[in-house]
Amino acid sequence: MLTIHDSHLTRNCQGYSRREFLRVGAMGAGGLSLASMLQAQAQAGTGVLTGRSTVMLFLSGGPSHIEFYDPKMTAPREIHSITGEIQTKLPGITFGSTFPKLAALTDRFSIVRSYGSGNAGHSYGEVVSGGNKSGASVSSIYARVRGNNHPETGLPTNVVVLPEAVKDGLKLGSNFETGALPTLTQPGSLGPNYAAFNPSGGSDLKRNMELSLDRDRFSDRRVLLQGLDVLRRQADARGALAGVDTYQQQAFEIISRGVAEAFDLSKEDPRTVARYETSHLFKLEELTRWNDMRRASNLLGRQMLMARRLVEAGCGFVTVSDCGWDYHANGNSPKNMAGIYPMGGQVDHAVAAFLEDIHERGLSDKILLVVTGEMGRTPRINGNGGRDHYAELTPLLVAGGGLKMGQVVGQSDRYAARAVAEEYRARHLLGTILHSMFDLGRLRLEPQVPREIIRIADESAPIGPLLS
């Protein structure tokens, strides 16, 4: 456990207050100290890594493939997109009309129109694991190979960003999505050590990194962050870190610099925050009054900004959760799928801001962005003007990560019901992500990689047309 004490007690014989002492205790399996764990990870080597990170934006509830990227306006009225269509930069390719910003950026990403998750229920595990036998999500597989913490910055390498992580005190309601969220980053048989770090609370890793301060002072986040900075400067001035080895110093930096700043959006340029901001697009109360949308939020822009900050700081896999996409229109969500307008507009704004931002930072090749959900929606609109659960086709956008951009892979039939020719499933998405993040040839030769993970890689063929 990590502990930082306040500075209000008497000093000891060495001139330091007990409350100024940073204690680094057991965080890893077998009682490894944080410093020891960092050292072990560094010694393991990173030759199997490509140096890329992944941000997975998961649209929980089941976004409609038709209203997203396959509007099928030539199909009958009960099938085609209720939002109409908008022309993209690609000749002859249209999206649903709530995505004008993405339509103008189609050279920065690729769409897979013949992808279907194969899942028709509100459990995310089969999708993020590609159905592998371990049941481990792709983010946990990455953490198992890479290690739980980046050896230089000390940040967790597997993080899940919920809306609660970007707005202090936010309390969203509970529904079916609340119980399903843990399956989004499940570690399966790899074990709880490889679960995602949840900065909004609730994960074992979060509890193991808590800071012990006076309750009143801990409640003031600004005081906490200022205190961490003061602690680091004081330690540097006294030369307190001069006598410790590299890995002990890295352990200190996890708290005093890395974790404190990477998760703090106030450290970002206000112009960049404004660029990502989505809270002005709609009022939260307009959607969360519906039972199926109680976990919807208007904070996706800030979540995506945090994701970008985290991968820049050393996180290898960031999962961003955006809930509220269950569109039966049966009284638990708005009739005629009216929620697609605010929520589709938010995805359009946040993803476009992310793509433009990483492009300007020269990170497009270094970050793989995946936007999908656990399923799609039925081609035929139901009697309430909604769409029901559907496993055969699911929206899938991929950007960067060394893949081929500016294309539409595959196609659906005239009713957007089935893939025409080559169809892709969750195992192919898993294979694509693994291909982007790992040198699979070297992975197979690495003695410290469990055979279980090598089998997963061997059994997960990527989406061929995306490979460069």
Side-chain angles (χ1 to χ4, degrees):
M1 172 157 186
L2 281 168
T3 307
I4 289 182
H5 294 283
D6 205 343
S7 55
H8 295 295
L9 288 187
T10 57
R11 297 183 178 275
N12 61 23
C13 60
Q14 295 174 309
Y16 302 110
S17 163
R18 179 177 178 274
R19 289 193 175 182
E20 290 174 342
F21 182 64
L22 171 67
R23 180 166 56 86
V24 182
M27 281 189 67
L32 280 177
S33 72
L34 179 56
S36 299
M37 189 166 61
L38 289 169
Q39 184 174 17
Q41 289 171 357
Q43 290 173 342
T46 57
V48 302
L49 304 176
T50 62
R52 297 190 180 100
S53 300
T54 293
V55 173
M56 176 179 282
L57 170 55
F58 202 86
L59 307 177
S60 300
S64 168
H65 58 288
I66 296 175
E67 273 71 33
F68 266 64
Y69 316 124
D70 199 3
K72 282 291 186 292
M73 298 308 292
T74 58
R77 183 176 181 179
E78 66 271 18
I79 291 174
H80 70 60
S81 171
I82 65 167
T83 66
E85 63 182 346
I86 187 170
Q87 179 63 46
T88 72
K89 290 181 69 174
L90 301 177
I93 301 298
T94 62
F95 290 169
S97 67
T98 59
F99 300 99
K101 294 181 178 180
L102 289 179
L105 293 174
T106 46
D107 57 325
R108 307 272 178 89
F109 57 86
S110 290
I111 297 297
V112 184
R113 280 181 170 173
S114 56
Y115 169 75
S117 68
N119 177 62
H122 293 303
S123 179
Y124 316 138
E126 284 294 311
V127 179
V128 295
S129 70
N132 74 74
K133 293 180 181 178
S134 77
S137 65
V138 61
S139 63
S140 293
I141 292 171
Y142 175 80
R144 178 61 182 86
V145 176
R146 181 66 181 88
N148 280 328
N149 294 80
H150 191 284
E152 294 178 3
T153 67
L155 283 172
T157 55
N158 177 17
V159 178
V160 58
V161 178
L162 306 181
E164 290 90 341
V166 296
K167 185 174 182 179
D168 292 341
L170 177 66
K171 295 186 183 299
L172 294 174
S174 297
N175 61 8
F176 65 91
E177 291 167 325
T178 308
L181 277 174
T183 68
L184 186 54
T185 54
Q186 62 188 26
S189 64
L190 298 183
N193 285 340
Y194 302 102
F197 177 89
N198 180 0
S200 60
S203 72
D204 291 337
L205 184 55
K206 171 72 173 179
R207 286 189 289 271
N208 284 337
M209 295 180 71
E210 287 183 356
L211 309 176
S212 296
L213 295 175
D214 179 84
R215 182 181 298 273
D216 293 336
R217 301 190 73 220
F218 182 76
S219 65
D220 189 332
R221 192 162 177 263
R222 290 173 299 178
V223 170
L224 171 62
L225 297 175
Q226 291 168 0
L228 289 170
D229 188 55
V230 169
L231 178 62
R232 178 170 56 82
R233 290 201 307 270
Q234 289 177 345
D236 288 343
R238 292 193 299 258
L241 298 181
V244 302
D245 67 25
T246 301
Y247 301 103
Q248 288 172 316
Q249 184 164 341
Q250 285 177 3
F252 182 92
E253 291 298 313
I254 285 176
I255 290 299
S256 68
R257 181 174 294 149
V259 167
E261 293 190 358
F263 292 93
D264 184 9
L265 295 184
S266 71
K267 301 292 185 181
E268 190 63 56
D269 185 331
R271 293 171 297 182
T272 304
V273 177
R275 181 182 195 178
Y276 275 87
E277 190 63 68
T278 52
S279 62
H280 62 285
L281 297 181
F282 59 91
K283 293 181 179 179
L284 196 60
E285 312 80 62
E286 293 178 355
L287 294 185
T288 54
R289 63 190 178 91
W290 303 92
N291 182 67
D292 286 349
M293 307 179 81
R294 284 181 179 171
R295 280 206 55 82
S297 86
N298 57 6
L299 300 170
L300 181 58
R302 287 178 174 251
Q303 290 173 264
M304 294 301 293
L305 175 55
M306 180 175 283
R308 193 226 74 209
R309 287 179 58 81
L310 290 173
V311 294
E312 277 192 312
C315 293
F317 206 111
V318 180
T319 303
V320 176
S321 169
D322 185 48
C323 291
W325 290 92
D326 199 25
Y327 281 172
H328 297 288
N330 58 1
N332 288 321
S333 62
K335 291 292 182 70
N336 300 314
M337 293 194 295
I340 187 65
Y341 296 97
M343 294 189 66
Q346 175 173 235
V347 170
D348 184 56
H349 183 102
V351 174
F354 183 88
L355 291 173
E356 290 172 337
D357 192 15
I358 64 172
H359 175 76
E360 292 167 6
R361 292 169 181 268
L363 297 174
S364 294
D365 183 65
K366 294 296 184 181
I367 299 175
L368 171 65
L369 172 66
V370 177
V371 183
T372 192
E374 75 267 34
M375 58 186 164
R377 291 275 144 187
T378 51
R380 188 173 296 276
I381 295 173
N382 65 31
N384 296 314
R387 300 185 191 273
D388 301 315
H389 296 190
Y390 199 62
E392 294 301 315
L393 291 172
T394 308
L396 176 59
L397 178 154
V398 293
L403 304 179
K404 289 183 179 178
M405 298 294 96
Q407 61 174 326
V408 174
V409 175
Q411 59 179 313
S412 64
D413 62 24
R414 60 181 298 197
Y415 299 120
R418 298 285 188 278
V420 174
E422 189 74 29
E423 70 174 15
Y424 299 102
R425 292 297 193 213
R427 66 182 181 277
H428 299 108
L429 177 56
L430 171 63
T432 303
I433 296 172
L434 295 179
H435 176 89
S436 176
M437 302 193 81
F438 299 129
D439 181 329
L440 296 179
R442 298 187 68 172
L443 183 75
R444 295 182 180 95
L445 301 176
E446 176 57 57
Q448 297 189 56
V449 175
R451 298 298 96 183
E452 181 179 28
I453 288 180
I454 293 175
R455 284 194 298 272
I456 292 171
D458 287 340
E459 294 170 359
S460 305
I463 300 172
L466 291 177
L467 305 188
S468 54

